[in-house]
């Protein structure tokens, strides 16, 4: 808020100054006087203040009149209000350079009547300034009380905005930190002609949370008081909203944690709590897991980028995503009942971010009911665990693609596959171990790419001819019939079990 004060024009109407005469700088009579002081020494540089009315007889400069123009320059530089001088006794004529600088800087030089004591002038001026400040303070308290009452009575932010607009006699609006409209006064009317705007930041806990916009360019002191109180009240309202959102997010996070942990909750409780927190219990739900080592600490930038991408998805596809951070894991749950949105949208939206961060993995579980969402969570985690062992180059893994492997892996807990693995690829494993070759790995990618020499070479970063040489050696050494579907399928499973077990 601009400091309060009284204009020079208003002060010249006081009885103590009614006989004062403006010698120069008349265009600056609109300057605001906030302080008044008396000059007794020539060295005043450094203690002049903005809005100061300086009184002097020029006694300290009587022997060096060349300093008078410099005095005007110093007053202008400090953005002082004016120079009031009694020239009769020590200064019989004003230097022309001083007059010219006064007009140039629009800094008034006022000739005071000789018979008026300084004390009469200073008392009268300070009385006016204090009265003005007291009036502004009273008005400020009235505005603040009225606006805060509206907030405390929960009248709604629209009612607050309409009252502020009425006080300022101009349209207003309030935007959030992303530039989206929170509220606007009902008096705002779209216009094709440019409208002057004034902007002020709204902060909560030193964080920028919004922008207050007023369709008015120049404001008087009373209007500035209203603006400052409106900013304060809007910050209170936004803080109240932020607290409510933070509390709801905390409760929602705890609810998600209970759901994905598989803690038994009666179905009726899940339905009731879900409805209260915005989860539709009639919809099907799906879990997405983002994993990267150091996601919370070392890779906070990646986490922020990921959050931005998720926010863009919400806005673009009009969906609601609920998130929970678990150490190096970000868990997202989303209703899978939205037919306008598919898993392909995740690929499209997240592809640039994932491509930049090779360590980031995404697991996508299947659809489940709200009270069974822990099943989708486990599927998403298994999708990452199994998917990255099948193909280290892929970063997005869907449980549907690895479900069969999960069933087979579970069966290994009570069935011994070692003999089958030894019989099928034992010779290749022994050879790789003895000479440090990659025949088993080559066979795995060869089978994964449906026998493509080119794609296998790309996976292993070798030429297709080198792949052909290795495959011929594999056939010769192991006796495998790679033209048989059953043989290829059983070899693929054996290699997968071996690689997965070793990777763990």
């Amino acid at each position: 808020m601009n400091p309060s004060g009284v204009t020079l024009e208003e002060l010249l109407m006081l009885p103590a100054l009614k006989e004062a005469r403006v010698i120069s700088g008349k265009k600056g009579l609109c300057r605001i006087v906030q302080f008044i002081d008396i000059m007794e020494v020539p060295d005043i540089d450094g203690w002049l203040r903005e809005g100061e009315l300086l009184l002097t007889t020029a006694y300290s400069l009587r022997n060096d009149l060349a300093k008078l123009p410099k005095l005007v320059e110093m007053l202008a530089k400090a953005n002082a209000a004016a120079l009031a001088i009694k020239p009769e006794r020590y200064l019989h004529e004003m230097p022309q350079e001083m007059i010219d600088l006064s007009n140039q800087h629009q800094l008034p030089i006022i000739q005071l009547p000789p018979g008026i004591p300084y004390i009469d002038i200073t008392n009268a001026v300070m009385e006016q300034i204090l009265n003005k400040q007291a009036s502004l303070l009273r008005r400020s308290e009235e505005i603040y009380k009225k606006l805060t009452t509206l907030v405390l009575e929960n009248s709604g932010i629209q009612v607050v905005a309409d009252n502020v607009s009425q006080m300022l006699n101009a349209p207003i609006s309030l935007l959030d930190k992303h530039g989206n409209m929170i509220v606007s006064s009902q008096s705002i009317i779209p216009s094709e002609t440019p409208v002057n705007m004034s902007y002020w930041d709204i902060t909560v806990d030193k964080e920028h949370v919004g922008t207050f916009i007023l369709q008015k360019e120049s404001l008087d002191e009373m209007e500035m008081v209203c603006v400052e109180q409106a900013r304060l009240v809007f910050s209170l309202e936004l803080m109240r909203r932020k607290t409510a959102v933070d509390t709801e997010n905390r409760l929602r996070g705890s609810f998600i944690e209970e759901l994905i942990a598989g803690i038994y909750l009666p179905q009726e409780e899940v339905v009731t709590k879900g409805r209260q927190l915005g989860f539709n219990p009639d919809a099907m739900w799906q879990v997405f897991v983002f994993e990267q080592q150091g996601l919370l600490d070392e890779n906070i930038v990646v986490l922020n980028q990921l959050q931005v991408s998720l926010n863009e998805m919400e806005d673009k596809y009009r969906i609601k995503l609920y998130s929970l951070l678990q150490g190096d894991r970000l868990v997202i749950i989303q209703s899978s009942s939205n037919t306008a949105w598919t898993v392909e949208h995740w690929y499209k939206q997240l592809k640039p971010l994932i491509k930049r961060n090779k360590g980031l993995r995404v697991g996508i579980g299947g659809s489940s009911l709200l009270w069974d969402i822990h099943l989708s969570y486990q599927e998403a985690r298994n999708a990452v665990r199994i998917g990255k062992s099948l193909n280290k180059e892929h970063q997005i893994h869907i449980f549907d693609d690895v479900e069969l492997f999960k069933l087979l892996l579970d069966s290994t807990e009570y069935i011994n596959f070692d003999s089958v693995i030894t019989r099928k690829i034992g010779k290749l494993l022994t050879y790789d171990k003895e000479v440090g070759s990659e025949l088993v790995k080559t066979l795995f990618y060869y089978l994964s790419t449906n026998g493509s020499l080119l794609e296998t070479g790309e996976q292993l970063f070798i030429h297709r001819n080198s792949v052909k040489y290795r495959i011929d050696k594999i056939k010769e050494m192991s006796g495998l019939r790679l033209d048989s579907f059953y043989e290829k399928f059983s070899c693929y499973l054996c290699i997968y079990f071996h690689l997965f077990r070793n990777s763990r």
Side-chain angles (χ1 to χ4, degrees):
M1 183 176 70
N2 292 332
S4 59
V6 185
T7 65
L8 286 166
E9 199 167 22
E10 291 173 322
L11 290 181
L12 290 174
M13 297 167 58
L14 295 174
L17 294 173
K18 65 179 181 180
E19 296 181 7
R21 183 168 65 90
V22 181
I23 298 174
S24 58
K26 292 183 179 180
K27 291 184 179 180
L29 290 177
C30 58
R31 285 176 178 259
I32 301 294
V33 178
Q34 300 167 250
F35 312 100
I36 186 168
D37 208 343
I38 300 171
M39 175 182 171
E40 296 178 343
V41 295
D43 185 14
I44 61 170
D45 193 14
W47 55 265
L48 288 172
R49 294 172 292 180
E50 180 180 354
E52 185 168 80
L53 173 60
L54 187 64
L55 309 182
T56 185
T57 60
Y59 174 79
S60 59
L61 302 176
R62 68 190 186 283
N63 298 321
D64 192 0
L65 299 182
K67 289 186 177 180
L68 286 171
K70 184 180 178 183
L71 174 61
V72 175
E73 288 280 12
M74 286 190 294
L75 287 166
K77 183 178 179 181
N79 200 22
L83 175 64
I85 191 167
K86 288 185 176 183
E88 289 82 4
R89 188 171 181 182
Y90 302 107
L91 183 63
H92 303 293
E93 186 177 352
M94 302 276 187
Q96 186 59 43
E97 184 181 358
M98 180 184 184
I99 301 296
D100 293 340
L101 285 172
S102 169
N103 289 323
Q104 177 185 332
H105 294 295
Q106 297 182 11
L107 183 102
I109 296 178
I110 302 170
Q111 183 174 334
L112 298 172
I116 300 293
Y118 279 154
I119 189 67
D120 291 351
I121 298 174
T122 55
N123 284 346
V125 170
M126 287 308 300
E127 183 180 3
Q128 287 294 309
I129 293 174
L130 292 174
N131 286 341
K132 183 71 173 290
Q133 291 175 341
S135 176
L136 288 173
L137 183 60
R138 285 194 300 271
R139 180 57 177 157
S140 176
E141 290 176 349
E142 291 172 1
I143 294 170
Y144 178 72
K145 184 177 180 180
K146 180 176 182 179
L147 295 180
T148 49
T149 299
L150 293 174
V151 172
L152 294 173
E153 291 179 350
N154 203 20
S155 301
I157 198 168
Q158 182 66 61
V159 175
V160 176
D162 291 339
N163 273 266
V164 172
S165 176
Q166 186 177 7
M167 292 175 186
L168 292 169
N169 194 29
I172 70 154
S173 55
L174 183 65
L175 310 181
D176 65 18
K177 62 182 179 181
H178 302 295
N180 301 314
M181 181 75 71
I182 296 176
V183 69
S184 63
S185 61
Q186 296 176 348
S187 56
I188 288 186
I189 301 174
S191 174
E192 296 182 0
T193 58
V195 179
N196 292 322
M197 299 283 192
S198 297
Y199 301 84
W200 294 270
D201 287 338
I202 304 293
T203 59
V204 172
D205 293 333
K206 298 181 181 180
E207 177 188 352
H208 174 257
V209 295
T211 304
F212 175 60
I213 303 176
L214 174 64
Q215 290 188 13
K216 200 172 190 177
E217 187 173 23
S218 59
L219 303 173
D220 60 26
E221 288 178 316
M222 198 63 75
E223 288 171 329
M224 280 304 303
V225 166
C226 184
V227 166
E228 287 302 313
Q229 296 302 340
R231 289 175 63 194
L232 179 59
V233 169
F234 279 134
S235 69
L236 290 174
E237 174 65 21
L238 294 182
M239 181 169 63
R240 185 181 67 82
R241 288 186 169 201
K242 182 176 182 296
T243 302
V245 169
D246 290 346
T247 301
E248 187 174 352
N249 286 338
R250 191 162 53 251
L251 292 173
R252 191 178 285 125
S254 299
F255 182 56
I256 293 173
E257 244 177 334
E258 290 177 342
L259 291 176
I260 65 175
I263 298 173
Y264 172 74
L265 294 174
Q267 184 175 326
E268 296 79 7
E269 183 179 339
V270 174
V271 170
T272 302
K273 211 170 191 179
R275 291 193 191 281
Q276 291 173 345
L277 296 173
F279 298 93
N280 181 5
D282 298 323
M284 299 297 289
W285 291 85
Q286 197 168 13
V287 175
F288 301 78
V289 171
F290 297 79
E291 293 186 0
Q292 182 170 1
Q293 187 174 1
L295 184 63
L296 181 60
D297 301 318
E298 298 93 359
N299 293 297
I300 190 68
V301 173
V302 176
L303 184 61
N304 290 337
Q305 291 173 345
L306 183 56
Q307 195 61 58
V308 169
S309 294
L310 295 174
N311 291 339
E312 289 175 355
M313 289 178 67
E314 286 186 312
D315 294 338
K316 187 174 182 179
Y317 301 114
R318 299 192 179 282
I319 58 174
K320 183 60 182 174
L321 305 175
Y322 302 95
S323 61
L324 174 69
L325 191 62
Q326 291 184 320
D328 294 339
R329 186 182 305 119
L330 180 67
V331 180
I332 305 292
I333 72 169
Q334 183 255 330
S335 170
S336 58
S337 304
N338 190 338
T339 56
W341 184 91
T342 62
V343 172
E344 282 69 27
H345 292 108
W346 281 88
Y347 281 102
K348 186 176 180 181
Q349 183 72 25
L350 298 176
K351 186 177 179 180
L353 174 63
I354 291 175
K355 194 174 181 180
R356 291 195 304 270
N357 300 279
K358 292 299 183 182
L360 185 62
R361 302 274 178 176
V362 184
I364 303 175
S367 297
S368 65
L369 294 166
L370 189 60
W371 45 88
D372 288 331
I373 207 168
H374 63 282
L375 300 177
S376 181
Y377 171 70
Q378 290 299 331
E379 289 175 354
R381 292 201 60 193
N382 281 319
V384 173
R385 184 171 63 97
I386 299 172
K388 68 182 180 182
S389 66
L390 287 171
N391 192 326
K392 296 185 183 300
E393 298 300 315
H394 287 180
Q395 291 177 262
I396 300 181
H397 310 283
I398 304 175
F399 182 73
D400 286 349
D401 296 339
V402 301
E403 185 175 11
L404 178 60
F405 291 96
K406 176 65 171 61
L407 293 173
L408 291 172
L409 285 171
D410 289 344
S411 68
T412 61
E413 295 180 2
Y414 51 88
I415 297 177
N416 185 7
F417 277 90
D418 289 344
S419 61
V420 180
I421 293 173
T422 301
R423 188 169 64 253
K424 289 292 183 182
I425 59 172
K427 292 180 180 180
L428 300 178
L429 290 171
T430 301
Y431 183 81
D432 280 347
K433 185 176 182 180
E434 290 176 351
V435 303
S437 59
E438 293 185 326
L439 294 185
V440 173
K441 188 176 182 180
T442 302
L443 180 57
F444 179 75
Y445 283 117
Y446 179 75
L447 296 174
S448 298
T449 59
N450 199 26
S452 171
L453 297 176
L454 182 62
E455 290 184 41
T456 303
E458 289 176 351
Q459 293 282 359
L460 296 170
F461 303 102
I462 60 176
H463 194 270
R464 63 191 303 272
N465 291 337
S466 299
V467 177
K468 186 177 184 309
Y469 170 78
R470 290 185 185 182
I471 295 299
D472 290 341
K473 190 172 184 64
I474 288 168
K475 290 178 180 177
E476 179 185 349
M477 182 181 299
S478 65
L480 292 172
R481 295 177 293 107
L482 297 183
D483 56 345
S484 166
F485 172 78
Y486 172 78
E487 190 85 289
K488 288 190 291 186
F489 179 69
S490 58
C491 282
Y492 183 76
L493 290 182
C494 287
I495 296 173
Y496 171 73
F497 283 131
H498 170 75
L499 295 176
F500 182 79
R501 185 167 54 189
N502 288 346
S503 69
R504 287 192 295 178

